[in-house]
Amino acid sequence: MTKFTERNSSPCRSVWLVPLICLLVGGALLGISTNVAKYAGEIGLSPLAFLFWSIAGAATILLAIALLRHELPPLNTRSFEYYFVSALVSVAGSNLLFFSAVPHVGAGFVALIISLPPLLTYLGALALGMERFQTVRALGVAAALAGAGVLAARKFSAPDASVFWIFIALCGPVLLAIGNLYRTLRWPKGASPNALAPGMLIAAVILLGATSLLPIFSLAVPLGDFLPLGLIALQAFIFAAQFQLLFLLQKTGGPVLLSLLGSVGAVVGVPVAIFLQGESPPDGLVLGASLIILGVILVTWGGMKMMASIAIKS
């Protein structure tokens, strides 16, 4: 009996441990990224320039890794569609909205509202038949959304609230939720996460470069000192690790668990914004953060039970 339990517990642990590690590390990097973006704005880097050069650096890093692993991005009509749609909703569009809003609403608030995609992703996954209803996961998603909702409502009611930029920031999670579902549904057959991540980032570089051709945008970087280039290099490595983990989590954990990256990012990003960036704590922080943490625990636990059940049956 003991041998049977040990033999079956190992696969059960492996099916949830990898996604959980990807979720925690990837979410932490996401929370740090929003704070780095705020600091970039303070030293004169425009949101588009900072995002373009950081993504270009991350694409170069991941492409080099793919070359070493002999897992080059597939080049065909289906994969090109995948790269550009994923890049638009998951990288270029959403991050440009977030990075543009950070100077107006704060890195802490942006880190918090990135925790909003779980409900949209979960409802979409249920509607499309990608996810079976599970009470524990549904409660977790509701808790995470309620936590973010508390914080967003308090932000709207603040006397100095910039309604336009709050709205712009809130559009980002919608794009992220669409991206979570799209990447799962349209994952190119036989492609590995190591091959798809650089392909998506290269497509994002092309889209952001095309945006820079508009009169109001520029890719210029202040070259008076090393700090802007150093910050871009730091963000490039953060993006490279973040998007590599995103694809691995997408493959191993599914779109709903993936959508909780933002919730973990909020738990990390808000304290960084408060203690290192000097931002005031958002109103309702304790209640909101507690609900978000509860949501992550419930959805992760529900996912662990579901994947463990599948592993035992197989």
Side-chain angles (χ1 to χ4, degrees), residues 1-16 304 307-314:
M1 184 69 176
T2 303
K3 290 182 179 179
F4 177 82
T5 303
E6 290 175 352
R7 186 169 61 249
N8 284 276
S9 64
S10 180
C12 292
R13 284 196 300 267
S14 64
V15 296
W16 63 260
M304 286 164 49
M307 288 186 288
S309 175
I310 293 171
I312 292 173
K313 290 178 181 178
S314 61

Side-chain angles (χ1 to χ4, degrees), residues 109-167:
F109 178 71
V110 171
L112 285 166
I113 59 105
I114 294 176
S115 66
L116 284 171
L119 178 62
L120 298 175
T121 304
Y122 185 67
L123 292 177
L126 287 175
L128 295 170
M130 299 165 62
E131 180 92 6
R132 291 180 300 172
F133 180 82
Q134 188 183 47
T135 303
V136 173
R137 301 193 97 188
L139 289 173
V141 168
L145 180 71
V150 167
L151 294 156
R154 296 292 181 88
K155 189 72 174 179
F156 268 117
S157 63
D160 59 343
S162 174
V163 176
F164 173 77
W165 284 109
I166 293 174
F167 175 76

Side-chain angles (χ1 to χ4, degrees), residues 47-239:
L48 180 62
F50 182 59
L51 185 59
F52 174 86
W53 293 113
S54 299
I55 293 292
T60 302
I61 294 168
L62 292 185
L63 186 58
I65 293 173
L67 282 168
L68 291 173
R69 290 173 170 266
H70 303 289
E71 294 182 271
L72 290 176
L75 303 176
N76 52 58
T77 304
R78 171 70 178 279
S79 61
F80 281 136
E81 174 221 304
Y82 187 87
Y83 298 148
F84 279 94
V85 176
S86 298
L88 177 63
V89 295
S90 302
V91 185
S94 54
N95 279 290
L96 189 56
L97 292 178
F98 290 139
F99 284 14
S100 298
V102 161
H104 305 278
V105 299
F109 178 71
V110 171
L112 285 166
I113 59 105
I114 294 176
S115 66
L116 284 171
L119 178 62
L120 298 175
T121 304
Y122 185 67
L123 292 177
L126 287 175
L128 295 170
M130 299 165 62
E131 180 92 6
R132 291 180 300 172
F133 180 82
Q134 188 183 47
T135 303
V136 173
R137 301 193 97 188
L139 289 173
V141 168
L145 180 71
V150 167
L151 294 156
R154 296 292 181 88
K155 189 72 174 179
F156 268 117
S157 63
D160 59 343
S162 174
V163 176
F164 173 77
W165 284 109
I166 293 174
F167 175 76
I168 291 296
L170 289 172
C171 288
V174 177
L175 292 181
L176 290 178
I178 293 171
N180 292 338
L181 297 169
Y182 173 82
R183 288 193 311 275
T184 298
L185 285 171
R186 298 292 291 169
W187 189 287
K189 187 176 180 180
S192 72
N194 293 326
L196 295 179
M200 183 184 73
L201 292 188
I202 292 170
V205 170
I206 295 171
L207 292 174
L208 292 169
T211 303
S212 72
L213 299 176
L214 298 173
I216 59 173
F217 293 107
S218 171
L219 298 181
V221 174
L223 298 176
D225 57 60
F226 176 75
L227 188 56
L229 294 178
L231 209 61
I232 288 171
L234 172 63
Q235 185 71 304
F237 279 101
I238 291 174
F239 272 149

